[in-house]
Every structure is written in structure tokens, then in C-alpha cells.
Amino acid sequence: MTTPVTPVLREMRWWDIDPVLELERDLFPEDAWSRGMFWSELAHSRGAEATRRYVVAEEGKRLVGYAGLASAGTASDSGSAAGADVQTIAVARDHWGTGLGSVLLTELLRAATAFECAEVMLECRIDNIRAQKLYERFGFEAIGFRRGYYQPGNVDALVMRLTTASDSGSAAVSTSERGTEING
């Protein structure tokens, strides 16, 4: 009997772009990101001036998920980042329902906390109910729509927001993070 391998998270690096693109094209064939988009995001993810956090989930040698967050702006009073945007979360189809999406989102919310963000925003395809339910479990609330956001399919996006936990001063992290392993 073999023990199932638990995906391990680590920082996304340039050599991950090809397997990320493979998963991206499988999951988002109509509106997949380009190689250049990932290169651009990774260019802002390292060093003292980093404004991005991108991670991959590996199971053995196979990439089974990835996620990214961008922080932007500064709050005038505190000098901290005013907000962050979940740029992407993707989980291989054979890992849907395993909790990997929660693990990836937890890591992005940890990054938002490290960036001292007061809120986290995201856009989610209006037809992606599975993702919407994940975000709702973490406390995100729907605040509007972006008509025709996803192209070329002209699919609307649901805009969602998670605001700061009033006592912490940074984006809240769900208690569902127990048992996750983050390596980066």
C-alpha cells in the first residue's frame, strides 16, 4: 500500500513557467495567461521591493497547482500596502475537491498579511461556482461585477473582497490552514 503524496508549496520560479503554462492552458483555454505575463509577475516577486507572491504546489515531481497575489498602493497613514489582488489560483482537475485550493488561498492571504494589506480583492468567473464557494468560505464577499471581463469569451467576472480583521490590521487568514506545509 502506498501513502498518498501531499502537495508541497514553494515559491514559483522561472523554470516553473512551462509546467504552469501547461496547466493554465488546460484549465483556462479561452483566456490563458501568456508566458510574458508570468515572466512579468515573477519579475516583481523577489527582493526588498517585491510586490508579488507566486507559489506552486508540487506532488512528487508534478506541478498540481499554482497561485499568485499582487499588492498595490499604500495606505497614507500607515505606509502599508492598501490592498492586494488575487491574480490567479489554479488546481489540476484530478486534485479538485482535495483542499489544495484552500491551501493555495491560505498562502496568498499569508502573503497579503506580510504585505500589510488592508483588503484583498479578486475577480472570479461568474460561471465558476466552485471557486466562488471557496472564496466565500474564507470570508470574501461579492461586491460587484465586471461585464465581459474574461475575453475572448466575453464572460462576466464577480468581484469579491476580503477586508481586514479589525483586530489584526492585516488580511485575515482562515483557520482552515491547519495541516498545510509551506516551503519557499
Side-chain angles (χ1 to χ4, degrees):
M1 183 170 154
T2 60
T3 305
V5 177
T6 301
V8 175
L9 297 191
R10 65 169 175 78
E11 179 182 11
M12 185 187 292
R13 300 299 304 272
W14 66 266
W15 52 81
D16 296 311
I17 291 177
D18 284 339
V20 163
L21 283 172
E22 186 177 321
L23 189 53
E24 176 83 3
R25 290 176 186 136
D26 176 52
L27 297 171
F28 313 112
E30 288 187 0
D31 51 6
W33 282 23
S34 68
R35 179 181 310 280
M37 292 170 77
F38 281 107
W39 271 105
S40 178
E41 289 297 297
L42 292 181
H44 299 283
S45 68
R46 295 183 63 93
E49 302 297 317
T51 58
R52 307 290 195 271
R53 173 73 169 148
Y54 277 78
V55 295
V56 294
E58 289 182 314
E59 187 175 74
K61 295 184 183 215
R62 180 177 166 230
L63 191 140
V64 294
Y66 59 90
L69 176 113
S71 67
T74 56
S76 58
D77 294 334
S78 67
S80 65
D85 289 294
V86 172
Q87 301 290 78
T88 187
I89 295 183
V91 174
R93 293 177 196 277
D94 63 339
H95 281 69
W96 287 2
T98 65
L100 181 55
S102 292
V103 171
L104 290 164
L105 183 55
T106 296
E107 175 57 19
L108 296 186
L109 295 178
R110 284 182 184 164
T113 298
F115 286 131
E116 299 179 342
C117 295
E119 67 180 14
V120 179
M121 305 278 293
L122 60 83
E123 290 87 16
C124 179
R125 284 179 65 108
I126 198 72
D127 57 358
N128 192 343
I129 304 303
R130 176 187 297 272
Q132 291 172 33
K133 293 200 177 300
L134 168 67
Y135 301 136
E136 288 169 357
R137 282 195 310 270
F138 276 77
F140 282 84
E141 297 177 339
I143 61 168
F145 296 93
R146 295 192 197 280
R147 302 283 177 216
Y149 183 79
Y150 292 98
Q151 295 296 326
N154 202 36
V155 177
D156 296 342
L158 178 64
V159 180
M160 302 182 83
R161 176 178 59 202
L162 176 66
T163 55
T164 301
S166 59
D167 59 333
S168 71
S170 56
V173 175
S174 167
T175 57
S176 66
E177 71 186 64
R178 269 184 239 130
T180 63
E181 182 178 350
I182 309 298
N183 295 312

